[in-house]
Amino acid sequence: MVTISDIAKIAGVAKSTVSRYLNGGSISETTKKKIENVIAATGYSPNKFAQSLKAKRTNIIGTIVPRLDSFATSQTLIGIDDHLRELDCQMVISNSSQDLKREIENIYSLAKQKVAGIILLATEITTEHLEAFRTVQLPVMLVGQQHDQFHSVIHNDYDAAYELGKYILANGHRKIAYLGVTEKDVAVGIKRKEGFRKAVEEVPGSKVRYFETSFKIEHSIQKVPEILEEFNPTIIVCATDNIALGALKAAHMNRLRVPDDLSITGFGGYEITEITHPSITTAKFYYREAGNLAARNMVKLVNEEEINQITFSRYKILERESVDKLK
Amino acid sequence: MVTISDIAKIAGVAKSTVSRYLNGGSISETTKKKIENVIAATGYSPNKFAQSLKAKRTNIIGTIVPRLDSFATSQTLIGIDDHLRELDCQMVISNSSQDLKREIENIYSLAKQKVAGIILLATEITTEHLEAFRTVQLPVMLVGQQHDQFHSVIHNDYDAAYELGKYILANGHRKIAYLGVTEKDVAVGIKRKEGFRKAVEEVPGSKVRYFETSFKIEHSIQKVPEILEEFNPTIIVCATDNIALGALKAAHMNRLRVPDDLSITGFGGYEITEITHPSITTAKFYYREAGNLAARNMVKLVNEEEINQITFSRYKILERESVDKLK
DNA sequence: TTATAATTTGGAACCGGTTCCGAAAAAAGA
DNA sequence: TCTTTTTTCGGAACCGGTTCCAAATTATAA
């Protein structure tokens, strides 16, 4: 284990000179070359614990995820990893297992690890979140939700839903069920619904009914027969692709042909929606790109550079097989 | 930031006494109580960097994953997280992005972080892997592959494939295509095929042809029409659920009813195989349990306790809708 | 050439813990 | 009660770096 003392001795300089070399302090070209050569010859790399202990900072970015087994989370993490890896920053992932209490604990735990900043893949922001972030005093980057006290990278839920709504209406659908989620989740529960509502308000003669389910596929499978019985829409607009997968399964189970008897759309652009039969029309969010943007912005926040309060990642309406053209 | 010096001062003892208390050294009941109370009152927790710097060890377990966006990986990670979290051990995840070179780098990088051990979710073990592990001299736990130089938790690929083969044969299938993957992956590419082969050898009159594709769904979608044209089997046994999803999509695209015209099975028990229409028969592996077992064994290895060279996680044949009963 | 300003360097203290070992205290044995 | 053994305790060195600041060296200006 080569230490800074070894490097200093071999190069014939003081430890503090090597440290200055490593950290951008003043150093002559001659001395710089000497140190460079010794480091290259020995393969030295600094002990991160010693650095962090004295300097009281790290190059660790903490990422808190609500769950490890979701498409959106995985892609976002890959995007974050892509960027942090280039910078020799370490990403530490803290899994909250969809437990808000645990998410708060994770915030404090990451602070204890002296992370340089926290990227939070958020579902909702409670007062406890606010308090924790106030206490730990770290740069915070939200992904997928916005809050006026933090910087965020968000998917354009509103515009995507508006555009998807226009597409659906342009295909002649006027009797529409919207299957949403809890409004505690502002992005998925409120913004997507509002964008969709804006689109239908622009077309007279549309009948829309709003329903609610959870994020779980099984609940969507159970909810759809109720909707069919109560309202009998030509299409179900689902707030997530998982809900859409559940709706597709329910349609098959009820002997409905998709899209002939019932059309279905989702949000997210999960890989599996292209594989199903029929493939599902959806508003695709570029989660990996969002993760990458979040990491870039995080690094800027850490370096105390100015960034936008809100950064949008892209979306794209993927027109596939699951929407019938009625007219 | 409360330090051990603060605790010592308040409790009226030396720093080294507090340290002995924290680390199981000799300490009287009276002194122990004093320190306990001060720690409880102050919420002190030790600085991990200082501990690691001096003690030259950590409670970090490094987990190397081939990719972040796979069902098996996610579930395994959750299982590892479940256990390590209980122990106040930190899990650090290193993503290899399916790049063997990067996987080797990750091994060295984790060693530099003084991880207590490495859990490797492996696809193959090359000589470079062997060399890296020899160099870093850390406890290693493989998941999903076995190798005679390391401890491992594996899915019972052979027995699961044997049992699935028996089930398929019991349903009357005699003209069978097996769609496998590269034999570089011993578990998925060799063991599953061998177990299946054992089953069909026990039933005279079976015609089996073995084909190969990659792990990607798109490749499976392209491969299936070739198989149908060349061999026209009653069933395709796919080496993973993703390959089975591709086969299902290809069947639909070719106007084949599943299971009437073509039956399909997979391996893994991915959540989505229950949602498809028809739901896919598969050999389910308990990835989360495997992750949990791996973490438990890892901790034992770190504590220099004896463990079995190989630990099997469970499997279960999920008989669903995608296999036709021919007789 | 001399004086002044700027740059470079190294020694020492320090970060928050762990570890060692001699001294002191407590417990056990004769 | 005295001697021996065991347990407890604290002081000091140390882990591998960073930081500060005075001294030394180099560069610039008069």
Side-chain angles (χ1 to χ4, degrees), chain B residues 11-77:
Chain B
V13 299
K15 286 199 298 180
S16 56
T17 301
V18 180
S19 188
R20 276 200 319 280
Y21 165 80
L22 291 171
N23 296 293
S26 70
I27 186 148
S28 70
E29 280 301 318
T30 309
T31 307
K32 188 186 279 186
K33 285 284 187 303
K34 272 198 293 189
I35 296 174
E36 263 173 9
N37 290 336
V38 176
I39 288 176
T42 56
Y44 164 75
S45 68
N47 181 308
K48 295 295 186 189
F49 303 120
Q51 285 185 326
S52 305
L53 175 61
K54 178 62 188 174
K56 291 182 192 293
R57 60 183 154 70
T58 69
N59 64 349
I60 301 168
I61 303 291
T63 301
I64 302 179
V65 298
R67 56 191 292 193
L68 280 167
D69 55 348
S70 101
F71 179 81
T73 298
S74 299
Q75 294 297 316
T76 306
L77 286 176

Side-chain angles (χ1 to χ4, degrees), chain B residues 41 45 63 81 92 106 118 183 203 210 212 223 261 277 314:
Chain B
S45 68
T63 301
D81 190 42
V92 167
N106 283 342
I118 292 179
E183 294 200 352
V203 176
Y210 295 89
E212 190 171 303
K223 190 73 184 180
D261 301 328
H277 192 78
R314 290 178 297 142

Side-chain angles (χ1 to χ4, degrees), chain A residues 71 241 245 248 252 269-282 318 320-322, chain B residues 215-222 241-254 264 270 272-273 275-278 280:
Chain A
F71 178 81
D241 280 345
L245 288 169
L248 181 61
H252 286 308
Y270 302 176
E271 195 176 36
I272 195 64
T273 58
E274 185 174 15
I275 302 299
T276 57
H277 194 77
S279 55
I280 298 177
T281 294
T282 183
L318 300 181
R320 291 192 182 124
E321 299 169 328
S322 65
Chain B
F215 285 90
K216 292 182 190 292
I217 293 179
E218 313 91 72
H219 291 167
S220 162
I221 293 174
Q222 287 157 26
D241 281 345
N242 277 338
I243 294 172
L245 288 170
L248 181 61
K249 179 70 180 179
H252 286 308
M253 286 164 67
N254 286 276
I264 293 169
Y270 302 176
I272 194 64
T273 58
I275 301 299
T276 57
H277 192 78
I280 298 175

